[in-house]
């Protein structure tokens, strides 16, 4: 690998992948080894943080217990201030920084402040998490399209700015941050004509040692999530591709004695 330029006074806005440190990109690993300060989110695994330089300052800037422990504006201000102090700043986010991670907002703040930055893409949980669950995101006989949707809204309800009618017609729906409002979201999809028997997978803590997959269907998913105590972070996958897991659960096969 040719190491990318990481001069003092710059920020790398990097994705750390869904959890398994093996899914870090070479650029992200290189950034971890060279950064003076690492500003990281709640979903960054210990295994990944352990790859930071022993001299680096590690700064937690995530959410715990659903409450923002650092405001978005404060995070952006901190990145700008550290860069202006001449530090190499690694801003590390779960998955890919530009997939529901507010990476765009931070990049805009850096651009406005005139701080040089680089975006290091990561394996989004919406891609890598499904792979570890043995669920192809697309499959030729099943779907020619897929949609990523957020189930979270600032108002604390099922997001109103999502066109649920349009989403319901996409063959494979990958929902992020959807556990809290799963009943309402499933209700919108059912009300918009999606069949109650459509298979659903709830994939929690994908790619980590705590990975857990619940297989259910659209009509039963909210009850099953509650009954089986589904935990965040989780992806909810709706569509026929979920059935392929029966044959493709390579992770279970790999750990079987
Ligand atoms: N930028 C991230 C998404 C950030 S939003 C990415 O590309 O993956 C946070 C949401 O991502 C979580 O609520 C959950 O829906 C999903 N997520 C992130 N990591 C996950 C994991 N290891 N397993 C399951 N879902 C995950």
């Amino acid at each position: 690998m040719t190491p990318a330029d990481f001069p003092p006074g710059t920020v790398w806005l990097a994705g750390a992948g869904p959890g398994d440190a093996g899914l870090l990109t070479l650029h992200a690993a290189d950034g971890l080894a060279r950064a003076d300060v690492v500003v990281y989110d709640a979903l960054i695994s210990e295994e990944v943080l352990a790859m930071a330089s022993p001299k680096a300052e590690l700064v937690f800037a995530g959410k715990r217990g659903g409450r923002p422990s650092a405001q978005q504006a404060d995070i952006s201000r901190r990145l700008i201030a550290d860069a202006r102090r001449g530090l190499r700043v690694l801003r590390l986010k779960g998955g890919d920084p530009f997939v529901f991670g507010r990476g765009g907002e931070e990049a805009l703040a850096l651009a406005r402040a005139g701080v040089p930055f680089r975006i290091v893409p990561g394996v989004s949980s919406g891609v890598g998490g499904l792979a570890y669950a043995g669920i192809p995101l697309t499959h030729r006989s099943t779907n020619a399209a897929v949609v990523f949707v957020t189930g979270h809204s600032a108002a604390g309800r099922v997001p109103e700015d999502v066109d649920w009618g349009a989403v319901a017609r996409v063959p494979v729906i990958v929902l992020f941050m959807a556990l809290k409002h799963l009943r309402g979201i499933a209700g919108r999809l059912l009300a918009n004509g999606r069949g109650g028997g459509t298979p659903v997978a709830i994939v929690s803590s994908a790619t980590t040692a705590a990975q857990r997959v619940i297989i259910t269907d659209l009509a039963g998913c909210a009850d099953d999530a509650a009954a089986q105590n589904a935990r965040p972070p989780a992806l909810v996958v709706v569509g026929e591709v979920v059935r392929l897991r029966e044959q493709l659960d390579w992770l279970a096969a790999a750990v079987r004695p």
Side-chain angles (χ1 to χ4, degrees), residues 11-161:
V11 177
W12 279 18
L13 196 49
D20 179 350
L23 298 178
L24 275 181
T25 64
L26 294 176
H27 282 317
D30 180 42
L32 269 163
R34 290 201 282 158
D36 300 305
V37 52
V38 178
V39 182
Y40 66 97
D41 279 351
L43 292 177
I44 306 301
S45 64
E46 292 293 327
E47 203 186 349
V48 167
L49 287 178
M51 295 170 68
S53 154
K55 284 179 283 176
E57 183 190 356
L58 300 183
V59 180
F60 175 69
K63 294 176 187 172
R64 287 259 161 90
R67 241 184 271 133
S69 44
Q71 295 299 327
Q72 194 60 46
D74 293 339
I75 298 171
S76 296
R77 268 198 293 274
R78 160 121 212 191
L79 300 178
I80 293 164
D82 282 352
R84 287 187 174 152
R85 281 168 53 215
L87 301 177
R88 292 183 186 83
V89 184
L90 181 69
R91 173 66 172 123
L92 202 56
K93 292 174 158 293
D96 181 274
F98 278 180
V99 178
F100 300 131
R102 308 190 72 163
E105 290 164 54
E106 291 174 24
L108 282 171
L110 295 169
R112 285 195 200 105
V115 171
F117 63 92
R118 174 188 181 100
I119 306 296
V120 180
V123 175
S124 176
S125 61
V127 178
L130 267 67
Y132 273 49
I135 302 170
L137 197 48
T138 69
H139 190 64
R140 202 153 61 96
S141 58
T142 308
N143 66 309
V146 58
V147 64
F148 282 2
V149 187
T150 175
H152 172 85
S153 73
R157 291 190 295 268
V158 174
E160 298 296 341
D161 53 352

